Amino acid sequence: GAGVSQTPSNKVTEKGKYVELRCDPISGHTALYWYRQSLGQGPEFLIYFQGTGAADDSGLPNDRFFAVRPEGSVSTLKIQRTERGDSAVYLCASSPTSGQPQHFGDGTRLSIL
Amino acid sequence: RKEVEQDPGPFNVPEGATVAFNCTYSNSASQSFFWYRQDCRKEPKLLMSVYSSGNEDGRFTAQLNRASQYISLLIRDSKLSDSATYLCVVNLGGGSYIPTFGRGTSLIVHP
């Protein structure tokens, strides 16, 4: 389809493991955002890319979290040494450029046991 | 004080009612504003942008009050299908394009 695609849709793993979450934005969208959403809360900003570079990563909670977008399209959010508190829905969004309305993917529901 | 605040509700209204939500923001340099709708266990979807002069889209009206630093969403003639969480989003401006979401306001429209 033409929308934002996120994989996997669900991920269950054990504490301490490494996970990668993938986002395929809408074709031609240069801005890509990662958010984390917990139950009853709005999406919490993590990082955004304008093209290939991370324009702002101030929302990443600590150095266990890292994201890349090497070719300016697909992005991967990487979490090392996962903790139970990392359990949440991870949302990706893209927009034609920064500051414009965003289109969200369905999210990845991450559960750390 | 949070950067973007919303009353979480829930707002419980009968079909056909008019309901309004407010969202306050703390940064006076904020430049762009949006309302998103989020259904249970689904992704947020853009409902409408909020323009300085106010704007309307069918039964939905959005307004911006820069002096008091809030935006509002008015829904007229509520439908059962309007039941959802409504998220306000503020781009804080000042060169920042980080969208900041409120926690959302839950709306339940009942028959």
Side-chain angles (χ1 to χ4, degrees):
Chain A
V4 177
S5 175
Q6 289 189 247
T7 55
S9 53
N10 285 284
K11 176 73 176 177
V12 181
T13 192
E14 293 178 344
K15 178 175 176 291
K17 299 290 188 185
Y18 167 82
V19 297
E20 287 191 353
L21 311 179
R22 176 189 165 108
C23 174
D24 198 342
I26 292 173
S27 178
H29 281 194
T30 62
L32 184 149
Y33 301 80
W34 283 100
Y35 297 88
R36 178 167 71 174
Q37 187 172 26
S38 301
L39 197 62
Q41 301 297 318
E44 172 195 5
F45 169 79
L46 296 176
I47 183 171
Y48 101 90
F49 293 86
Q50 181 60 49
T52 60
D56 194 310
D57 65 357
S58 61
L60 294 177
N62 52 59
D63 62 4
R64 295 186 298 104
F65 289 75
F66 189 70
V68 295
R69 194 187 185 196
E71 297 178 0
S73 178
V74 171
S75 176
T76 305
L77 177 66
K78 309 180 181 194
I79 311 174
Q80 298 178 320
R81 305 183 304 280
T82 51
E83 299 177 358
R84 292 198 178 89
D86 298 336
S87 298
V89 176
Y90 288 80
L91 292 163
C92 176
S94 70
S95 60
T97 190
S98 304
Q100 294 187 289
Q102 298 164 62
H103 301 263
F104 282 82
D106 292 342
T108 294
R109 189 171 300 275
L110 178 64
S111 300
I112 308 299
L113 304 179
Chain B
R1 181 183 174 190
K2 288 189 177 177
E3 291 173 319
V4 179
E5 294 203 59
Q6 293 184 256
D7 180 347
F11 285 63
N12 214 313
V13 304
E15 267 186 296
T18 294
V19 62
F21 314 131
N22 281 346
C23 168
T24 59
Y25 60 93
S26 60
N27 188 336
S28 59
S30 298
Q31 294 182 345
S32 52
F33 309 87
F34 307 94
W35 283 102
Y36 281 73
R37 171 196 168 123
Q38 187 171 28
D39 293 287
C40 189
R41 300 178 75 87
K42 297 286 189 181
E43 77 278 16
K45 292 186 178 177
L46 178 68
L47 181 65
M48 56 199 303
S49 302
V50 185
Y51 302 121
S52 297
S53 55
N55 48 299
E56 189 174 304
D57 182 1
R59 299 182 292 109
F60 298 84
T61 301
Q63 302 225 307
L64 167 63
N65 185 317
R66 283 196 185 274
S68 299
Q69 294 183 204
Y70 73 87
I71 63 172
S72 63
L73 178 68
L74 180 80
I75 306 175
R76 289 182 299 278
D77 188 23
S78 299
K79 311 291 184 192
L80 296 176
S81 58
D82 293 335
S83 298
T85 295
Y86 291 84
L87 299 159
C88 79
V89 183
V90 177
N91 279 352
L92 296 179
S96 165
Y97 291 105
I98 299 174
T100 301
F101 282 75
R103 65 177 294 182
T105 297
S106 175
L107 172 66
I108 301 170
V109 182
H110 58 82

